[in-house]
Amino acid sequence: MKKLKYIVVLCLLFTKANAFSDKAVQDPNKIIEELIYEINVINHRYELLVDDKHHQLKLLDEALSVAYSSEQKIDLLVEKEKIKSELKLLMTTTAGEISKIRYLKGLQIIKILYEKVLSLDHHFASVRTLNEINKISNPNQYPEFEKLKELIASKKDKKTGVDLTSILGTNTIVSLVQTFTNMMGSSLTKEEKERELGNVECIIDFTVRMQNDLNTIYFETAFLQTSNEKIKQEIELLFKDYTKPIGYLASLESCRKNDDWESVNQKMEEYLGKMKVATGTSQYKMQVNLEFPIDRLLQFITQYNNFIDQGGKFYEKFKIILNSYENEKQCETKLPLEYKKLKADIDVAIEKFNVAYKPVEINGTKMKEILYGLNEFD
């Protein structure tokens, strides 16, 4: 009956494990779910084998209690020591297989998060540049305003008119003040002045109101890009620490570029083979060296999660800023295409931070299972 139960449990676990392996997993949360599940698979499988060994030991103890001859007792004791050795080997094998699963799943998480970090780097690099922000926020960049300045220059009083320097001419406030001052003193009629103002009023209103806000978006995006570069450096250092115990020396960038993940797996198998035949303190040290990087990975995940949360909040703030222009409806046909594109980019970024870059969901229970192989039902 016990043997039948053992076969049934293994069949069910094997079926579920195959269900996981058939999927091309790109979500670190799915990897964590698989990790916890597969650890449970190992524990259940070896629990049955360990129970069987303990049952054999119990039977041997019962046989020893009724044995009369020295020869019988010696044979039973020899058999008992053999079972104890097999039991110890089972425990070592269980720990080794769990370490292997945790290590390889951790490697998968690193691989996935690295792709996300690289994608974020590309995203920040492609966000509106300072030059493009300047086009949106400076009236001097608009053809309508330049046309007005040229018209006023042709109508101004040559004796009293002053031309701005190349530096002051690009300054939004100074340029606006001089343009309106020259307009007031020009030979343009009242009707001409009103008509020309009507052509640029939306441009002037938008640029004056939004200039500081648009610059805020640029500089805070630059800050996020710098922060992402630090995250990139951290995950590359994590990979170095993660693969050092098994003797893999290539960088994460090199491993990704050369698609060398199979070599990492091979190094892992070699390391586990050495750990399996090691004994005592040596084996314990090898086990610790393998377990420590898992803790480093969890520390990095916390750092990554904080950054993604921060990035999402920044872009929500950007959206509020861009939607705060109160005359958008009246000036819709006059607003630059770059402004509309920036709004669309920010909507896409918010969606990415909520979906593609979303934080890794690790709560206290899951963390204990990953770190120590424990769960609340043990």
Side-chain angles (χ1 to χ4, degrees):
M1 184 68 182
K2 191 168 187 178
K3 187 175 181 180
L4 178 62
K5 177 186 174 185
Y6 172 70
I7 294 172
V8 170
V9 170
L10 282 184
C11 286
L12 288 172
L13 294 176
F14 180 75
T15 301
K16 186 71 177 292
N18 278 346
F20 275 132
S21 62
D22 288 340
K23 299 177 182 178
V25 180
Q26 294 300 321
D27 181 358
N29 295 308
K30 293 294 183 184
I31 299 293
I32 290 170
E33 289 176 13
E34 290 183 16
L35 168 61
I36 293 170
Y37 177 78
E38 290 179 25
I39 287 175
N40 287 334
V41 168
I42 297 284
N43 284 331
H44 282 300
R45 185 199 311 164
Y46 283 98
E47 182 182 350
L48 293 169
L49 295 173
V50 168
D51 285 347
D52 186 58
K53 294 299 178 186
H54 281 301
H55 181 67
Q56 292 179 40
L57 288 174
K58 183 180 178 182
L59 293 177
L60 287 171
D61 285 336
E62 291 174 356
L64 275 169
S65 66
V66 296
Y68 291 101
S69 68
S70 297
E71 186 177 350
Q72 281 182 309
K73 290 181 179 180
I74 290 172
D75 289 341
L76 289 169
L77 288 171
V78 169
E79 183 64 20
K80 185 176 180 179
E81 287 302 313
K82 178 186 173 185
I83 299 299
K84 282 184 177 180
S85 296
E86 292 172 352
L87 183 59
K88 185 177 180 181
L89 180 60
L90 274 176
M91 302 298 287
T92 302
T93 305
T94 303
E97 290 201 26
I98 289 176
S99 292
K100 177 182 177 181
I101 290 172
R102 291 172 63 195
Y103 189 89
L104 293 179
K105 291 297 182 185
L107 191 64
Q108 282 182 269
I109 292 173
I110 291 174
K111 183 179 178 182
I112 292 170
L113 292 184
Y114 190 55
E115 293 300 327
K116 291 181 184 294
V117 170
L118 292 179
S119 180
L120 274 166
D121 189 56
H122 175 72
H123 164 76
F124 291 130
S126 65
V127 170
R128 309 296 89 196
T129 64
L130 181 57
N131 183 53
E132 290 173 312
I133 290 289
N134 187 50
K135 286 180 182 178
I136 303 174
S137 60
N138 192 332
N140 293 296
Q141 298 292 326
Y142 290 77
E144 296 91 340
F145 190 71
E146 284 297 305
K147 182 181 176 183
L148 174 63
K149 289 198 298 182
E150 290 172 5
L151 177 62
I152 292 172
S154 68
K155 299 288 184 177
K156 73 181 181 180
D157 187 334
K158 304 296 183 181
K159 295 180 180 180
T160 59
V162 177
D163 291 325
L164 294 174
T165 64
S166 59
I167 294 177
L168 289 177
T170 60
N171 183 286
T172 300
I173 302 301
V174 174
S175 179
L176 285 171
V177 169
Q178 194 210 33
T179 298
F180 284 115
T181 301
N182 289 342
M183 176 182 277
M184 294 302 103
S186 72
S187 61
L188 290 170
T189 66
K190 179 181 178 182
E191 290 75 16
E192 287 175 326
K193 291 175 182 178
E194 289 177 349
R195 184 178 65 248
E196 294 301 327
L197 277 175
N199 289 334
V200 297
E201 64 178 343
C202 280
I203 292 170
I204 294 171
D205 182 69
F206 173 76
T207 53
V208 170
R209 289 176 187 268
M210 298 296 291
Q211 186 178 54
N212 288 338
D213 288 338
L214 289 167
N215 285 336
T216 294
I217 291 174
Y218 169 77
F219 288 113
E220 291 191 354
T221 300
F223 166 76
L224 287 174
Q225 186 172 13
T226 301
S227 298
N228 189 67
E229 179 60 30
K230 291 179 181 177
I231 292 287
K232 181 172 173 283
Q233 292 171 2
E234 281 295 320
I235 195 170
E236 289 172 343
L237 180 60
L238 167 64
F239 181 81
K240 180 180 179 181
D241 292 342
Y242 202 87
T243 54
K244 184 179 179 181
I246 63 174
Y248 184 82
L249 303 179
S251 67
L252 177 54
E253 182 182 9
S254 173
C255 181
R256 176 184 179 272
K257 182 179 178 180
N258 299 313
D259 195 21
D260 199 32
W261 303 103
E262 188 57 39
S263 295
V264 182
N265 290 346
Q266 184 178 344
K267 289 285 187 182
M268 174 66 187
E269 293 291 349
E270 292 172 0
Y271 187 87
L272 285 176
K274 293 176 183 177
M275 189 172 74
K276 191 172 182 179
V277 298
T279 57
T281 304
S282 177
Q283 186 182 65
Y284 177 72
K285 285 183 178 179
M286 293 183 76
Q287 184 79 28
V288 170
N289 288 338
L290 208 59
E291 295 294 334
F292 178 72
I294 305 294
D295 185 49
R296 281 276 288 110
L297 171 59
L298 290 171
Q299 291 173 22
F300 173 78
I301 287 174
T302 299
Q303 186 179 0
Y304 173 83
N305 284 352
N306 290 339
F307 175 66
I308 297 301
D309 284 337
Q310 181 190 49
K313 289 173 183 175
F314 267 77
Y315 275 88
E316 291 287 354
K317 173 185 173 182
F318 297 161
K319 183 174 182 176
I320 292 171
I321 287 174
L322 291 178
N323 288 334
S324 68
Y325 177 51
E326 59 188 52
N327 292 322
E328 182 175 356
K329 191 171 183 180
Q330 299 95 302
C331 295
E332 187 173 7
T333 58
K334 295 287 187 178
L335 295 180
L337 292 176
E338 289 87 353
Y339 169 69
K340 297 174 183 177
K341 177 67 166 60
L342 182 58
K343 290 183 74 172
D345 285 349
I346 286 175
D347 284 337
V348 170
I350 290 172
E351 176 68 15
K352 285 186 175 182
F353 272 98
N354 290 334
V355 180
Y357 308 135
K358 67 180 180 179
V360 183
E361 300 164 2
I362 298 184
N363 58 31
T365 301
K366 282 187 178 179
M367 190 169 289
K368 281 192 286 187
E369 288 185 87
I370 293 168
L371 275 174
Y372 312 112
L374 301 174
N375 64 58
E376 60 188 329
F377 302 110
D378 286 339

